[in-house]
Amino acid sequence: MASRPLMSQYVRVASTEPESAAEDDHPNEFSLSDIAPPSKVDRRWSLIKDLDKFFQSIYYFWYSKGFFCLLLEEVLGLMQFVFIIFLAILLLVGIDYNQVMVMAPTRNISLNTIVKNIKQEILGMNVTGVSSNSSFDINIENYRQLDVKGIVNFEHFLGGDIHSMWYFLLACASIFWLHRLCGVVYRLREMWEVRGFYRDALGVNTSEMENYTWPEIQDLVIQAQTRFHMCVDKTKLTELDLSNRILRQKNFMLALINKDKIQTHFFLPFWGRRTFFTEELKYLYEMILFWGPGSPFSDHSTLQKSFRRGDKAELAAKLQRVITWYAIISLFLSPLIFIWQVFYSTFTIVELMERKKGVLGMRRWSPLARQQLRNYNELDHIFQYRLNTAYWPADKYVRSFMSPVLAILARHVAFVFAALLAVALIFAMVDETLLITNNVPLTIAGLGVVLGVCRSLIPDEDESHNPRELMEYVVKLTHYGPSEDWKGQEHTLRVRESFCMQFQYRLNFWIEQTLSPLIAPFILFFCLRPRALDIVSFFRSFTVTVEGVGDVCSFAQLNVSKHGNPQWSSERSNASQTEQSENGKTEMSVVAFKLNNPAWLPPEESRRFLADLRDSAGEDALRTSMTNSHPTQDPAHSLYPSMISGGWTTYPNMSMFQSNHAALAFQSLAAVDGDQPSPGETVHPILAQQAEESAAEIQAEGRAATAFPPLRQVSPTGMPAQPGFTSIYPSLVSSGQVPAGGWRRPLSHRQMLESIGHAALHLQETHRRRRDNFSQYGRHDP
């Protein structure tokens, strides 16, 4: 497909499309003469040059809960780096291990001698071969008189008696620390200015940051734009403007991985297809492509003009040279980084082992999963909350596949090793001389490790696991399935293996992170470098200039017509195969961003997609309700709320339709839909009756209420209804019980996560039906 330059705005989807009513009310065009002369306070925040960094600082100031927390985190991070370097030098150079060997016993103490000594202690028996305990006491006393100063000695280090390589590594670490110190000072200076912006411009007490939610801060920033004109190109900022500036580079990285422009899967002999994507690789990719020397971006927000108009072959050759230099430098620094990773990973593992039991058998979301499961324009706190909530059902799903053979073996092996460990500990409690032998402490540690591994292989006898329900709940929280055809195959090992690539063992993560410095240079040279032409084509085809924002990833505009997939968005997408996002990421991002930001006005086709998804969810809910012969007990009874309590809705017969995610998806989508029905539109009679009953209850109790827009012209058979039904929505609005603009009350993180999760499940189900129907009939819709 031929590439073309794109210019667009968020509400005005493209320059060739008609303008929306919202833009007519709030035009973006204005001149510098329209700006009133700012006051002394205003001048500090007017016409800010680097808005990306400024808005990112505003967000991370809130995310870190204020300046003091940021200061403490940065200072302790610098001190931790110094501590690790000092401890590494102490262990590798500063200890005379020849002196440590002096601690060995002057005579061997066999297990037979220990047993005889214990018999003498406990039973008072005269056992041949043990003269007295004085020999043990003497040995212990020798240990106590050991001079630690003779072990820790830096004289040979300071005197130049070590290899020059250690001096070179120490010099590199010192340079890195000084560079990090300068960065910390610069960031703290920026954050101090942001603190002034919170206090003076937003009127927020920074000592109470934990009491503010991000939507509240976001609204204050949007209002501040009209006062201070931080952005010169627009009079009014939107939620999408802020998200695109804060997440500009992250959106590009999500799209690059979604379109498979960066290789993350590798085929290894005798091991099969495996993923390898570490935090260090992600850092190198971002440095090469976004902000490092030789990157395609001239600054944080502008793609170089040559990447828009220059020859692709020349640009690819230039990018290949840049990648080669990064690979060489990474290979040169790999020994230093590898040593750092070894010590840092080791100390982290030990700290977690002390804090959490069975940490070696625990899992975590892989770095690649964090790219695959994240939606476009999804801020860190929302995404992290989703993954944290999805952790336990994901862990239970994986544990439901435990091999019964391994469980039986592990149970019996654990019993034997636990008995041996108990005996060893009893011996140590009876006679402390066991602690001076070379074998017993090591044996106790080894028995503990084996018991931990066996414990991770034994399923919990008090729990029952249903893979289908668990995987459905995981998808509800993560929004994406482990494979294309996961639905109905949750119990198979194939789906489990696909999911385990995203939900990996912590031990695997640490091993990959430790080996990453040695492997990353070769991945850059042999895997990323050959894809330079694809990366150049990606930036040229999927970079658009948005007024007031700059160059952003076109996928992050959340336009279904440009990047939707027909199997996910019906016929709302006009995109070719190369322009479509994979795994429904565009569609899911539209749903999630709209539900998280109800006031946002999506592009026209995305708005129609949301309305189609809402109506299809309602139709599915109605079909389910028709299977019940008692309308008052119908699961769709929940389609209208009975009351609002604390910002969350309480519905009658809640226990009867919790599993009906289509009904709950309809509620979620209708709650933020600004396209309300007109008085002449019709609804299903059961829904109208239930809405009237709910309204009567609310009016009788004297409580404020809200209602969701009913389905458009739906009959009991799911086909367009005949005239004769009346809409209950206009009567609720006229009575003052429902605001004419719909419901806009903010929800908590948990409530919003539930709402988006139901919509995600319905979107997955709709995709499955469209895919199956296309494979059977050659078209997407039934």
Side-chain angles (χ1 to χ4, degrees), residues 529-553:
R529 183 173 172 271
R531 298 195 176 199
L533 182 59
D534 293 337
I535 294 174
V536 171
S537 300
F538 174 88
F539 281 121
R540 176 169 296 187
S541 301
F542 300 115
T543 300
V544 295
T545 301
V546 178
E547 185 180 7
V549 181
D551 294 340
V552 299
C553 180

Side-chain angles (χ1 to χ4, degrees), residues 55 109 142 152 171 198 445 506 544:
F55 288 146
I109 303 177
N142 289 339
V152 181
Y198 269 92
R506 287 182 179 267
V544 295

